[in-house]
Amino acid sequence: MRSRIFVIFGVVAIILASLAQVLPKQGVQKRIKFPEYDRVTGKIKSLLTGEKATPQKNGYILVEEARLETYVYDGAIQNIDLIIEAPRCLFNFRTRVASSAGNMEVSRADGQAAIEGRGFVWDQQSTVLVISNDVRTVMQNGFTADSKNVQDR
C-alpha cells in the first residue's frame, strides 16, 4: 500500500512540475520557455521563449517578445535552424500551437533566407508554420537545411 502511495505521489509531482510554467489563473510570468521534445530521441525540436507570459481565457497564454527556435542536430551537436520572432502571440499550452494576427519574421540561423508577414500559426508538435498575409521572402539558398549548411554552423 505504501509503495502505491509513493508511485501516485511521484506521478502527481511529475505532472505538476511539467505544468508549472504558466497556467490559466496564474499571474504574469517573465522569461518563459516552452520546449517541444522529440518523443523518440528526447532531443529538443523547438523552443518558444518570451519576455512575458500572461494567462488568457480558454487555456491560452499571451507571450510578448516571442521567439521560437527550431533545431537540427549534427550527431549530438544542437544547431539552431529557424528563428521565428513576433512582438506577441497566443500560445495554447495543451495543443502546443502559437498564433498571431500581428507582424512576424522568420529567418534561417545562417542568414541564407528570411520571410516576414502578418498573421501566423505555428504547430509546435508537427513543426508546421503557416504565414497568412503580406508575405515577403528573401532567399539565397532557401529554407531547407542541407549537409553543407549544417557543417558550416
Side-chain angles (χ1 to χ4, degrees):
M1 179 68 177
R2 241 182 192 184
S3 63
R4 187 175 187 184
I5 291 173
F6 284 120
V7 169
I8 291 171
F9 179 75
V11 169
V12 170
I14 290 170
I15 291 170
L16 290 176
S18 68
L19 296 175
Q21 294 243 351
V22 178
L23 295 175
K25 299 181 184 167
Q26 279 188 329
V28 173
Q29 301 289 311
K30 296 193 181 208
R31 296 189 188 105
I32 55 88
K33 294 182 180 183
F34 297 111
E36 182 65 30
Y37 293 92
D38 184 293
R39 292 182 178 154
V40 175
T41 65
K43 295 178 180 178
I44 296 177
K45 293 187 333 182
S46 63
L47 176 65
L48 173 63
T49 61
E51 287 301 310
K52 188 164 97 172
T54 308
Q56 307 292 300
K57 295 180 180 177
N58 300 324
Y60 286 92
I61 300 163
L62 176 63
V63 179
E64 296 185 37
E65 300 302 321
R67 177 183 170 103
L68 188 123
E69 297 176 348
T70 64
Y71 302 104
V72 293
Y73 290 86
D74 184 12
I77 299 171
Q78 179 188 56
N79 297 295
I80 299 172
D81 186 30
L82 294 179
I83 301 166
I84 303 169
E85 295 179 306
R88 67 192 55 79
C89 71
L90 287 173
F91 181 66
N92 186 312
F93 192 78
R94 288 184 205 102
T95 64
R96 312 298 282 188
V97 172
S99 62
S100 174
N103 293 333
M104 56 87 65
E105 297 177 3
V106 181
S107 60
R108 288 277 315 270
D110 61 9
Q112 295 296 308
I115 296 178
E116 56 186 44
R118 188 173 42 83
F120 75 93
V121 175
W122 166 260
D123 186 328
Q124 197 173 26
Q125 290 177 329
S126 65
T127 62
V128 171
L129 173 67
V130 176
I131 305 170
S132 55
N133 300 298
D134 301 328
V135 179
R136 181 176 168 265
T137 306
V138 176
M139 295 195 307
Q140 290 181 18
N141 289 329
F143 271 96
T144 304
D146 60 25
S147 59
K148 181 181 182 298
N149 287 340
V150 171
Q151 291 172 356
D152 290 343
R153 292 186 196 150

